Amino acid sequence: HHIPLARRQPFAYAVEIGRKFDFDERHARTVSRHCAELFRATKKLHGLGDDAGVLLEIAAILHDVGQAISARTGLIVRHC
Protein backbone atom coordinates (compact mmCIF):
# COMPACT_ATOMS: atom_id res chain seq x y z
CA HIS A 1 0.00 0.00 0.00
CA HIS A 2 1.02 3.61 -0.52
CA ILE A 3 2.63 5.45 2.42
CA PRO A 4 2.55 9.26 2.10
CA LEU A 5 5.92 11.00 1.74
CA ALA A 6 5.18 13.12 4.82
CA ARG A 7 5.34 9.92 6.91
CA ARG A 8 7.87 7.96 4.87
CA GLN A 9 10.68 10.53 4.82
CA PRO A 10 10.99 11.24 8.58
CA PHE A 11 10.63 7.51 9.27
CA ALA A 12 13.50 6.81 6.86
CA TYR A 13 15.65 9.45 8.58
CA ALA A 14 14.96 7.83 11.96
CA VAL A 15 16.00 4.43 10.60
CA GLU A 16 19.16 5.99 9.14
CA ILE A 17 20.05 7.47 12.54
CA GLY A 18 19.41 4.12 14.20
CA ARG A 19 21.68 2.37 11.73
CA LYS A 20 24.50 4.80 12.55
CA PHE A 21 24.28 3.52 16.11
CA ASP A 22 23.96 -0.13 15.10
CA PHE A 23 20.47 -0.48 16.55
CA ASP A 24 18.33 -3.60 16.38
CA GLU A 25 16.32 -2.56 13.33
CA ARG A 26 13.98 -5.54 13.38
CA HIS A 27 13.07 -4.87 17.01
CA ALA A 28 12.66 -1.13 16.40
CA ARG A 29 10.36 -1.72 13.43
CA THR A 30 8.30 -4.20 15.45
CA VAL A 31 7.91 -1.72 18.32
CA SER A 32 7.01 1.03 15.85
CA ARG A 33 4.40 -1.17 14.16
CA HIS A 34 2.81 -2.06 17.51
CA CYS A 35 2.76 1.60 18.53
CA ALA A 36 1.04 2.54 15.26
CA GLU A 37 -1.55 -0.20 15.75
CA LEU A 38 -2.26 0.92 19.32
CA PHE A 39 -2.44 4.55 18.23
CA ARG A 40 -5.01 3.76 15.55
CA ALA A 41 -7.01 1.45 17.82
CA THR A 42 -7.28 4.12 20.53
CA LYS A 43 -7.73 7.16 18.27
CA LYS A 44 -11.28 7.78 19.51
CA LEU A 45 -9.98 7.89 23.07
CA HIS A 46 -6.98 10.20 22.62
CA GLY A 47 -8.28 12.31 19.72
CA LEU A 48 -4.79 13.07 18.43
CA GLY A 49 -4.12 13.71 14.77
CA ASP A 50 -2.05 11.73 12.30
CA ASP A 51 1.03 13.89 12.94
CA ALA A 52 1.12 12.65 16.54
CA GLY A 53 0.99 9.09 15.25
CA VAL A 54 3.96 9.72 12.96
CA LEU A 55 5.93 11.17 15.88
CA LEU A 56 5.08 8.13 17.98
CA GLU A 57 6.32 5.77 15.25
CA ILE A 58 9.57 7.73 14.91
CA ALA A 59 10.08 7.75 18.68
CA ALA A 60 9.53 4.00 18.70
CA ILE A 61 12.19 3.54 16.01
CA LEU A 62 14.69 5.54 18.07
CA HIS A 63 13.72 4.29 21.53
CA ASP A 64 16.90 2.22 22.07
CA VAL A 65 19.42 4.56 20.41
CA GLY A 66 20.37 6.03 23.80
CA GLN A 67 21.61 2.63 24.89
CA ALA A 68 23.85 2.44 21.83
CA ILE A 69 25.24 5.91 22.52
CA SER A 70 25.88 4.91 26.13
CA ALA A 71 27.70 1.74 25.06
CA ARG A 72 29.87 3.62 22.56
CA THR A 73 30.79 6.60 24.70
CA GLY A 74 30.78 5.12 28.17
CA LEU A 75 28.35 7.85 29.19
CA ILE A 76 25.36 6.85 31.19
CA VAL A 77 22.10 7.69 29.45
CA ARG A 78 19.24 7.73 31.92
CA HIS A 79 15.58 7.35 31.08
CA CYS A 80 13.46 10.18 32.44
Side-chain angles (χ1 to χ4, degrees), residues 10 30 51 67 69:
T30 298
D51 288 347
Q67 290 178 355
I69 293 170

Short mmCIF file of all heavy atoms in Angstrom, two decimals, residues 10 30 51 67 69:
data_model
loop_
_atom_site.label_atom_id
_atom_site.label_comp_id
_atom_site.label_asym_id
_atom_site.label_seq_id
_atom_site.Cartn_x
_atom_site.Cartn_y
_atom_site.Cartn_z
N PRO A 10 10.44 11.17 7.22
CA PRO A 10 10.99 11.24 8.58
C PRO A 10 11.26 9.85 9.17
O PRO A 10 12.21 9.66 9.92
CB PRO A 10 9.93 11.98 9.39
CG PRO A 10 8.83 12.32 8.48
CD PRO A 10 9.16 11.81 7.12
N THR A 30 9.40 -3.49 14.79
CA THR A 30 8.30 -4.20 15.45
C THR A 30 7.64 -3.30 16.49
O THR A 30 6.41 -3.20 16.54
CB THR A 30 8.81 -5.50 16.11
OG1 THR A 30 9.32 -6.36 15.09
CG2 THR A 30 7.70 -6.21 16.87
N ASP A 51 -0.34 13.44 12.68
CA ASP A 51 1.03 13.89 12.94
C ASP A 51 1.56 13.31 14.25
O ASP A 51 2.73 12.93 14.34
CB ASP A 51 1.11 15.42 12.99
CG ASP A 51 0.95 16.06 11.62
OD1 ASP A 51 1.03 15.34 10.61
OD2 ASP A 51 0.75 17.28 11.57
N GLN A 67 20.79 3.73 24.37
CA GLN A 67 21.61 2.63 24.89
C GLN A 67 22.85 2.43 24.02
O GLN A 67 23.94 2.16 24.53
CB GLN A 67 20.80 1.34 24.94
CG GLN A 67 19.74 1.37 26.01
CD GLN A 67 18.91 0.09 26.02
OE1 GLN A 67 19.07 -0.78 25.17
NE2 GLN A 67 18.01 0.00 26.98
N ILE A 69 24.35 4.77 22.25
CA ILE A 69 25.24 5.91 22.52
C ILE A 69 25.98 5.66 23.83
O ILE A 69 27.18 5.86 23.93
CB ILE A 69 24.44 7.22 22.57
CG1 ILE A 69 23.88 7.54 21.18
CG2 ILE A 69 25.31 8.37 23.08
CD1 ILE A 69 22.88 8.67 21.16
#
